[in-house]
Amino acid sequence: MKYYGMTDRGKMRKTNQDSYVIACNEAGDVFALVCDGIGGNLGGDVASRMAVSWFSVAFSENKGFASEEDARAFIANGIRIVNKQIYDLGQARQDLHGMGTTLCGAMLTRVGRFIVNVGDSRAYGFTNNGEFRQLTMDHTLVNDMIMHGELTKEQARTFPRKNVLTNAVGVWESVRSDIDVHHEDLNGILLCSDGLHSYVDEKKIRSIVLDKEFDPALRSRKLVKASLDAGGFDNVTVILIDLEEGDMI
């Protein structure tokens, strides 16, 4: 397995509210996580860093998972803990009120490959035969409207409230999370904040990700550059993971 992560403030923002981590536990499992903070300059930064910090420490100290249910419970319990920590701090400090963060990750273990999502950061899966598809569902108003037939995908591109989240970590007392196990053959996973997928055409993202002539580090840099070339309107974070035969299950 080879992986690489990077983040960039972009050209228009004064601060970078994105955070990410690639952590390993004592069993050699890997947890890659991207968080995109929301709620003002300070609040978003604090929220995303709190989420990444908790999972980084908790996962690094984990000794491995006994079953698929054990691994899923680790993620779900962690999200509940982080949600409460961020929400409570936001309630206690006026300058942080309403802060929160998206959370999108890939946990690669010996009992399964898990994709977790809260918000509108994304995970994509890809194969050596050219398949490239989104593995997560955006928790946004516009996606809900598409699913209910109120908007087409074409209309959604220019919808004025397309960035409104319907779910995030730390904003509300309770949080829902999508946690899915993927048994299908994948040769790699891309995690990214909306600073990439909202501004760079998916065909462009796909062409960069599937160009296996380059290692994950160079392809990650190319993805970030594509976001900057598209205007750099938002913070952008990517983690690119190349899986090899025999990596986990």
Side-chain angles (χ1 to χ4, degrees):
M1 184 189 310
K2 297 179 180 178
Y3 44 76
Y4 190 83
M6 65 180 300
T7 186
D8 193 283
R9 187 183 67 186
K11 296 180 178 179
M12 308 299 289
R13 300 294 179 91
K14 294 181 179 179
T15 61
N16 190 349
Q17 298 184 42
D18 286 5
S19 300
Y20 77 94
V21 68
I22 306 172
C24 297
N25 68 5
E26 294 186 15
D29 303 329
V30 174
F31 197 174
L33 189 65
V34 168
C35 292
D36 179 358
I38 57 176
N41 288 338
L42 179 60
D45 177 70
V46 171
S48 69
R49 290 182 183 277
M50 285 177 67
V52 162
S53 177
W54 190 91
F55 273 102
S56 177
V57 173
F59 187 76
S60 297
E61 294 176 348
N62 179 274
K63 299 183 184 302
F65 303 101
S67 65
E68 183 178 308
E69 292 73 21
D70 185 27
R72 189 187 298 271
F74 170 83
I75 300 172
N77 291 336
I79 290 174
R80 284 193 288 269
I81 291 170
V82 170
N83 187 77
K84 186 177 189 319
Q85 289 179 346
I86 296 173
Y87 179 80
D88 287 350
L89 185 58
Q91 294 296 304
R93 286 180 52 178
Q94 185 61 36
D95 60 328
L96 299 179
H97 185 72
M99 71 174 176
T101 182
T102 71
L103 185 152
C104 187
M107 195 170 82
L108 311 175
T109 77
R110 280 151 178 76
V111 298
R113 296 172 179 160
F114 299 84
I115 300 295
V116 55
N117 181 58
V118 181
D120 67 346
S121 293
R122 289 182 180 177
Y124 295 88
F126 57 92
T127 65
N128 289 338
N129 63 9
E131 181 183 3
F132 180 80
R133 65 183 180 91
Q134 187 175 338
L135 301 178
T136 52
M137 180 179 295
D138 296 344
H139 298 160
T140 59
L141 174 63
V142 69
N143 193 56
D144 286 352
M145 294 177 72
I146 291 172
M147 291 179 64
H148 287 90
E150 300 171 19
L151 278 179
T152 66
K153 289 186 177 181
E154 290 70 25
Q155 291 171 329
R157 293 192 182 98
T158 57
F159 186 68
R161 301 179 66 197
K162 66 179 181 178
N163 294 323
V164 175
L165 294 176
T166 57
N167 189 31
V169 178
V171 177
W172 300 281
E173 283 190 87
S174 61
V175 63
R176 62 183 174 88
S177 55
D178 295 338
I179 305 172
D180 299 307
V181 62
H182 287 266
H183 293 299
E184 73 270 31
D185 289 335
L186 292 174
N187 297 114
I189 296 168
L190 168 68
L191 304 175
C192 64
S193 62
D194 68 337
L196 179 69
H197 68 74
S198 287
Y199 301 100
V200 181
D201 184 80
E202 187 171 299
K203 291 181 180 179
K204 176 70 172 178
I205 297 173
R206 178 184 180 277
S207 69
I208 295 172
V209 168
L210 294 180
D211 189 355
K212 300 298 283 288
E213 181 180 348
F214 302 105
D215 65 15
L218 185 53
R219 283 146 59 216
S220 295
R221 294 189 185 102
K222 285 177 174 286
L223 289 168
V224 170
K225 183 178 184 300
S227 175
L228 298 176
D229 289 346
F233 296 107
D234 198 0
N235 310 146
V236 57
T237 301
V238 302
I239 297 176
L240 191 58
I241 304 168
D242 282 349
L243 298 170
E244 298 171 353
E245 190 172 351
D247 282 338
M248 310 308 171
I249 68 169

